[in-house]
Amino acid sequence: MTPPPAALLSTRKALRFFNLFRIALVAVLLLMTQWVLPAQALDHGALWLWALAYGALVVAGAVVGRLALPLSWLLTATLAADIVLISSFTHLYGGVKSGFGMLLLPFLAVAGMLVSGRLALFYAALATFSLFASVALNAWHDGLDSNQLLQAALLAIAGFVTSATTWLLSRKARQSELLAALRGSQLASLNRVNALALQALREAVLVLDAQGVLRQFNATASRLLGELQRDRLQPVLQPLIRRWHLQGMPLQEQEIDLVLRGQQLIGRMVPLAEDDSLLLVVFLQPAEQLAAEAQQLKLAALGRLTANIAHEIRNPLAAISHAAELLGEEAVAPVTQRLSSMVRDNCARIEHLVAEVLQLNRRDRVHGEVFLLRPFVDELIASFLLAHPEYHGRLGWQVETTVTVRFDRSHLQRILTNLLANACRHGSAQPGAVQLVATAQRLTVLDDGPGLDAAAQGRLFEPFFTTESSGTGLGLYIARELAQANGAQLSYQPPGGCFQLTFPESHDPDHFLRTDR
């Protein structure tokens, strides 16, 4: 199995430190032979030749270790040379009885840590062969020494034990390191996933310790509570922490209803016990947002209900209207004709009411797009005057030419058509009695009529509220609902007849153009 790049770098770094150990070993041995044990030196020429060879090995280890050579080659060559040179030094000082044979053990230990099990045993076998070769040479010259043979055997056994033990320990350490790296990578990935999931939540999430120190939070919490800092006490949350402490720090989930920074927040807090630590996870959401979501669900359900009701009403209504037309064509008596006309008129009114109710189902179908407001208003007023020629000459409009809005075109057309129709009905017949003014911030429709009294203003946007006997009371209600669906606000501005549609986004104009027709 090929070791990972991090393991290769770690092994090469270990070899550099091991090369420094070689330098220190040569220096110590030379000091011992020259000043501490000079009488035991058998051949100074051979000793200095050995020192020169070991110095060459040190230089080679420093240079070759920087080359892009296979690591197994470097280890085999350098460690084998170490074993041969240490065995040679031991032979120069009288063989294994000198005690220098013990210097083989650190090298065998390094071999066991850096190479595979077979290679570790190979180095131990090489050291054993070198030791017994030294004993054989000494026996050739001076005869066999049983003590020296026993020492060589014991040292060989110690070499095999050292190699095997260090290899097993290093394998366990490498496995633990790889497992730790794998777990660390998995933990880092899990933390990233948790952070992503935390940031994706629509509600504010805060993680506090038992003292109220903030440990974690998401972007929604920052927007809701202002600037937050980790590992610090948050003053805005201290009342919540104190209340939890006064309750005895229970581990049960609790509902929260509090006011922070001038807004009502609703949520829950969930205590988590981890070993000896205690964390408090707080979930918060504005009450207005919850109410808006509940309203969305109700409107969606209402839309489905109205669609079904409209389908059930329109089929028999069409049959009634058709029957009334047939009766009117065949009727001779004026009374019958008048009754037939009444049936047709009421059928038309019911059809108009059904169409108005169906507009409620369009609130959750917003297809927003960015477009220039001036061409849109020009086309809308032209269509409006074509459908209502009696209002020709009453309308005037001012539109900034570079204003762009993000809105659903059909929704905006519905809103403006309703506002213009109301203004034309309640305004005078004078030229310019109705004005439409559009800027980057808002669109205003106003007329010169008397406006509404205070009682009517309070109920103006209620469904089915109307001041006209022929109205359905759904026009302004639907207009406001469509405006809110697009992020805008429709409001009445007294005195007089003035309605303002405030856009969610706007752009500064370059110039202003006025059109009066």
Side-chain angles (χ1 to χ4, degrees), residues 64 105 136 140 168 241 318 379 384 434 440 475:
V64 176
L105 297 182
W140 178 267
L168 290 173
I241 298 297
E379 182 179 353
F384 180 79
V434 177

Side-chain angles (χ1 to χ4, degrees), residues 3 6-16 71 75 114 174:
L8 292 176
L9 293 175
S10 178
T11 302
R12 291 184 182 275
K13 186 176 180 180
L15 286 177
R16 289 197 292 270
L71 191 60
L75 289 172
L114 299 180
R174 285 193 293 269

Side-chain angles (χ1 to χ4, degrees), residues 2-314:
T2 303
L8 292 176
L9 293 175
S10 178
T11 302
R12 291 184 182 275
K13 186 176 180 180
L15 286 177
R16 289 197 292 270
F17 283 108
F18 187 63
N19 212 36
L20 296 177
F21 170 73
R22 288 194 185 104
I23 297 174
L25 178 65
V26 172
V28 171
L29 290 179
L30 290 178
L31 288 175
M32 292 178 63
T33 54
Q34 294 301 313
W35 285 280
V36 180
L37 303 170
Q40 295 184 17
L42 300 178
D43 188 346
H44 286 284
L47 177 63
W48 287 108
L49 182 61
W50 175 88
L52 182 62
Y54 214 113
L57 176 62
V58 170
V59 174
V63 174
V64 176
R66 300 178 182 273
L67 302 179
L69 297 176
L71 191 60
S72 58
W73 295 7
L74 297 176
L75 289 172
T76 301
T78 55
L79 288 174
D82 282 317
I83 293 173
V84 171
L85 288 174
I86 293 299
S87 299
S88 300
F89 183 85
T90 303
H91 183 71
L92 289 176
Y93 271 82
V96 293
K97 64 181 180 180
S98 65
F100 286 115
M102 297 294 293
L103 293 175
L104 290 170
L105 297 182
F107 292 93
L108 294 177
V110 171
M113 289 187 293
L114 299 180
V115 299
S116 64
R118 292 183 179 181
L119 280 177
L121 295 178
F122 166 75
Y123 294 130
L126 180 60
T128 300
F129 176 79
S130 301
L131 291 173
F132 280 101
S134 177
V135 172
L137 288 176
N138 288 334
W140 178 267
H141 293 94
D142 303 327
L144 182 61
D145 186 350
S146 58
N147 291 330
Q148 192 174 17
L149 184 62
L150 179 60
Q151 290 179 2
L154 293 175
L155 191 57
I157 294 172
F160 276 99
V161 171
T162 301
S163 297
T165 303
T166 54
W167 174 75
L168 290 173
L169 293 176
S170 64
R171 186 181 68 170
K172 292 290 185 182
R174 285 193 293 269
Q175 290 176 349
S176 299
E177 182 182 3
L178 291 175
L179 182 60
L182 178 62
R183 293 289 185 267
S185 177
Q186 293 175 347
L187 183 60
S189 299
L190 184 60
N191 287 336
R192 289 194 293 270
V193 171
N194 289 337
L196 181 61
L198 184 67
Q199 297 300 330
L201 291 176
R202 295 180 58 188
E203 56 186 346
V205 181
L206 304 102
V207 181
L208 310 169
D209 62 12
Q211 288 71 40
V213 177
L214 184 61
R215 299 303 183 189
Q216 186 61 277
F217 62 93
N218 61 355
T220 306
S222 297
R223 292 193 297 268
L224 195 61
L225 304 179
E227 185 177 356
L228 299 173
Q229 293 182 349
R230 289 186 179 89
D231 301 325
R232 291 193 179 183
L233 291 171
Q234 303 301 319
V236 294
L237 299 175
Q238 288 309 301
L240 182 64
I241 298 297
R242 284 195 296 269
R243 187 177 69 182
W244 185 48
H245 279 270
L246 290 175
Q247 294 174 352
M249 302 174 65
L251 297 180
Q252 292 79 19
E253 179 178 337
Q254 300 183 36
E255 299 296 328
I256 302 174
D257 187 354
L258 68 162
V259 177
L260 291 178
R261 297 170 61 89
Q263 58 182 338
Q264 184 180 8
L265 303 178
I266 298 175
R268 66 190 189 279
M269 58 181 185
V270 183
L272 297 178
E274 277 301 322
D275 298 330
D276 296 332
S277 61
L278 188 62
L279 297 177
L280 186 65
V281 184
V282 179
F283 300 89
L284 294 174
Q285 200 169 4
E288 295 180 357
Q289 183 177 344
L290 292 175
E293 292 177 356
Q295 185 183 21
Q296 290 285 347
L297 295 175
K298 291 179 180 179
L299 288 174
L302 180 61
R304 292 190 294 268
L305 178 62
T306 53
N308 293 331
I309 293 177
H311 177 72
E312 296 297 330
I313 291 178
R314 276 180 162 175

Side-chain angles (χ1 to χ4, degrees), residues 24 76 254 294 300 310 338 391 415 458 515:
T76 301
Q254 300 183 36
R338 184 168 61 86
Y391 297 145
I415 295 170
T515 301

Side-chain angles (χ1 to χ4, degrees), residues 503-516:
F503 297 123
E505 297 180 1
S506 59
H507 304 279
D508 293 332
D510 292 331
H511 57 281
F512 186 86
L513 183 63
R514 179 183 178 91
T515 301
D516 291 300

